[in-house]
Amino acid sequence: MIRKCLFPAAGYGTRFLPATKAMPKEMLPIVNKPLIQYAVEEARDAGLQQMAIVTGRGKRALEDHFDISFELEHQIRGTDKERFLAGTRELIDTCSFSYTRQVEMKGLGHAILSGRSLIGDEPFAVVLADDLCLNLEGDGVLAQMLKLYAKYRCSIVAIQEVPREQTQKYGVIAGELIHEGLYRVSNMVEKPRPEDAPSNLAIIGRYILTPDIFDLIADTEPGKGGEIQITDALMKQARNGCVLAYKFKGRRFDCGGAEGYVAATNFCFEHLHQHTL
Ligand code: UTP
């Protein structure tokens, strides 16, 4: 049903300078694995096999990561270090990777539109790799959302409750509760001041989108900060039909900034990585 996952990874990552000056922020490691690999694994675990990555200038390392490195593999063959590459190798063997470039950084909506040629006319998932989502108790966030899509067949955004004073960092929704943790979106505002925010339910970096979103983005004028916002296009979709917002099970770390990055590192070191180091 849904086969493809789009990873917009063209942003400048200015909050993480100077680390991101010559390296994409999606290659920042959480312990010993880059953010983009956690993201691709979440999509693979949800049953998706076609990975479509939107890159920009200076992002070559992303393509190299999901490719075979003959010299390196030859060098470590037969040693106990082979196990460090086993997970990456499995992704390369079981998934396909395609790339396109966002030529100008005109926002997340524009980045998604840049991926249109890789997606075509079918529903797809979107993962922002700098939002690391982990659920130790069961399905990953994307797998949870795909189950909902199978039932409702419309665009779905993942949401999280945030402290009121942080609404300015997010797209914020208002909606009618139709099931536990599931809202039908009636309003969506990009980066509202706390006093203007319709709720404290913030959109985070996981989406299921139906393909009509592309024409809606193409018709969207640049909004806040001169960027083409995905929330504006989603709001049109919500008005025309239905968009759902889902309060996911699990934890989310904003790894685009130092605080979330350090928290994610500590969490993964404690819960996931001890046995692989
Ligand atoms: P962010 O808002 O985190 O922007 O983008 P950024 O530019 O990467 O980081 P800062 O704020 O300067 O530190 C959210 C996601 O959307 C992608 C980013 O790569 C990130 O995964 N994005 C954003 C694009 O692909 N293109 C854009 O034009 C903007």
Side-chain angles (χ1 to χ4, degrees):
M1 218 184 16
I2 293 191
R3 307 178 300 158
K4 298 183 181 177
C5 188
L6 190 70
F7 302 86
Y12 288 123
T14 52
R15 280 173 293 156
F16 238 114
L17 285 168
T20 47
K21 183 159 181 269
M23 181 185 84
K25 82 171 156 187
E26 295 77 11
M27 285 304 294
L28 287 169
I30 300 295
V31 190
N32 61 347
K33 197 159 74 177
L35 281 166
I36 190 72
Q37 188 170 335
Y38 288 91
V40 167
E41 285 174 355
E42 184 184 332
R44 187 269 323 265
D45 291 346
L48 309 183
Q49 284 174 334
Q50 296 186 37
M51 310 301 168
I53 304 182
V54 179
T55 67
R57 275 178 296 282
K59 302 270 186 174
R60 272 270 310 276
L62 287 167
E63 299 184 33
D64 290 340
H65 187 72
F66 296 109
D67 198 355
I68 293 167
S69 168
F70 286 104
E71 301 85 4
L72 178 64
E73 296 199 17
H74 176 74
Q75 182 74 26
I76 63 173
R77 186 161 301 137
T79 74
D80 69 345
K81 292 191 181 123
E82 258 187 317
R83 68 199 160 99
F84 291 130
L85 279 186
T88 320
R89 188 66 203 239
E90 196 193 322
L91 291 177
I92 296 169
D93 289 343
T94 55
C95 303
S96 70
F97 293 85
S98 53
Y99 301 87
T100 192
R101 275 196 181 212
Q102 184 187 12
V103 182
E104 284 175 284
M105 304 318 151
K106 292 201 288 194
L108 178 58
H110 182 258
I112 292 173
L113 185 59
S114 305
R116 185 176 200 165
S117 59
L118 302 178
I119 299 297
D121 190 24
E122 56 184 280
F124 61 104
V126 175
V127 171
L128 305 186
D130 53 348
D131 262 349
L132 177 62
C133 292
L134 298 166
N135 182 21
L136 300 180
E137 259 90 64
D139 281 347
V141 176
L142 215 51
Q144 295 168 38
M145 294 172 77
L146 286 176
K147 280 189 185 153
L148 285 174
Y149 179 78
K151 186 166 173 198
Y152 293 98
R153 306 264 168 172
C154 63
S155 290
I156 306 171
V157 299
I159 50 167
Q160 180 183 35
E161 281 188 43
V162 296
R164 271 267 166 189
E165 60 275 16
Q166 288 182 19
T167 55
Q168 242 160 331
K169 296 192 334 195
Y170 299 93
V172 176
I173 70 126
E176 171 204 354
L177 188 67
I178 58 170
H179 197 270
E180 198 198 327
L182 193 63
Y183 298 80
R184 191 190 168 112
V185 172
S186 57
N187 194 12
M188 223 177 242
V189 188
E190 186 60 31
K191 301 191 171 65
R193 289 182 306 192
E195 58 272 31
D196 301 329
S199 75
N200 68 337
L201 297 171
I203 301 173
I204 61 110
R206 300 291 181 279
Y207 306 77
I208 307 286
L209 299 174
T210 52
D212 53 312
I213 198 76
F214 290 126
D215 282 342
L216 295 172
I217 300 172
D219 280 343
T220 299
E221 294 295 319
K224 250 195 185 140
E227 297 193 329
I228 297 178
Q229 306 289 353
I230 185 64
T231 39
D232 292 341
L234 278 165
M235 196 50 226
K236 290 185 210 164
Q237 232 181 12
R239 268 191 227 109
N240 296 345
C242 182
V243 171
L244 297 177
Y246 170 58
K247 214 157 94 185
F248 63 93
K249 296 189 179 68
R251 293 195 57 166
R252 170 238 171 205
F253 299 93
D254 173 12
C255 295
E259 200 183 322
Y261 180 79
V262 171
T265 302
N266 288 328
F267 183 86
C268 288
F269 186 69
E270 190 178 335
H271 295 283
L272 301 178
H273 279 276
Q274 296 281 23
H275 59 288
T276 65
L277 293 172

